Amino acid sequence: QVQLEESGGGWVQAGGSLRLSCAASGRTFRSYAMGWFRQAPGKERQFVAAISKLGDSTRYSDSVKGRCTISRDNAKNTVYLQMNSLKPEETAVYYCAATQATSMNDYDCWGQGTQVTVTS
């Protein structure tokens, strides 16, 4: 299994942008599809975006479609989430996750998360 470490969280004003990164350990990064999720206080974890093993397919939740872009650099073992036009309700801990399933579901490796706070 890979180990995942997120970075790039912080404070941003509504309408601003952040770029999250998730670095993976190991030499098998390209065998994992990657996803980003978020969890706000008192709420269930929510899917944000996913990218296939080679980066040729992506999927987004309706709430972020058009404002966020997921990408990956397999040479750097890193996946990114570019978030634009952020809203206060998107304040949450953001997690990256990995799965070997081609369907980009059933994630079984998770990072510790990075806090994103969007102020109004």
Side-chain angles (χ1 to χ4, degrees), residues 4 12 16 20 35 37 47 53-54 57 63 71-72 89 96 102 114 119:
L4 306 173
V12 62
L20 305 183
F37 294 76
F47 168 77
K53 299 174 184 181
L54 298 181
S57 177
S63 63
S71 61
R72 66 189 295 161
E89 56 265 37
C96 72
T102 303
T114 185
T119 60

Side-chain angles (χ1 to χ4, degrees), residues 77-100:
N77 283 11
T78 302
V79 61
Y80 305 97
L81 182 68
Q82 176 69 43
M83 303 187 293
N84 301 322
S85 302
L86 282 161
K87 306 172 184 179
E89 56 265 37
E90 295 182 297
T91 293
V93 177
Y94 283 70
Y95 299 91
C96 72
T99 177
Q100 292 187 296

Side-chain angles (χ1 to χ4, degrees), residues 30 32-34 50-60 70-74 102 104:
R30 63 179 62 234
Y32 290 86
M34 301 297 296
I51 189 166
S52 61
K53 299 174 184 181
L54 298 181
D56 53 352
S57 177
T58 57
R59 190 165 70 218
Y60 297 92
I70 188 171
S71 61
R72 66 189 295 161
D73 186 337
N74 284 349
T102 303
M104 295 192 281

Side-chain angles (χ1 to χ4, degrees), residues 9-26:
W11 291 71
V12 62
Q13 286 190 331
S17 299
L18 277 178
R19 187 196 197 202
L20 305 183
S21 300
C22 174
S25 65

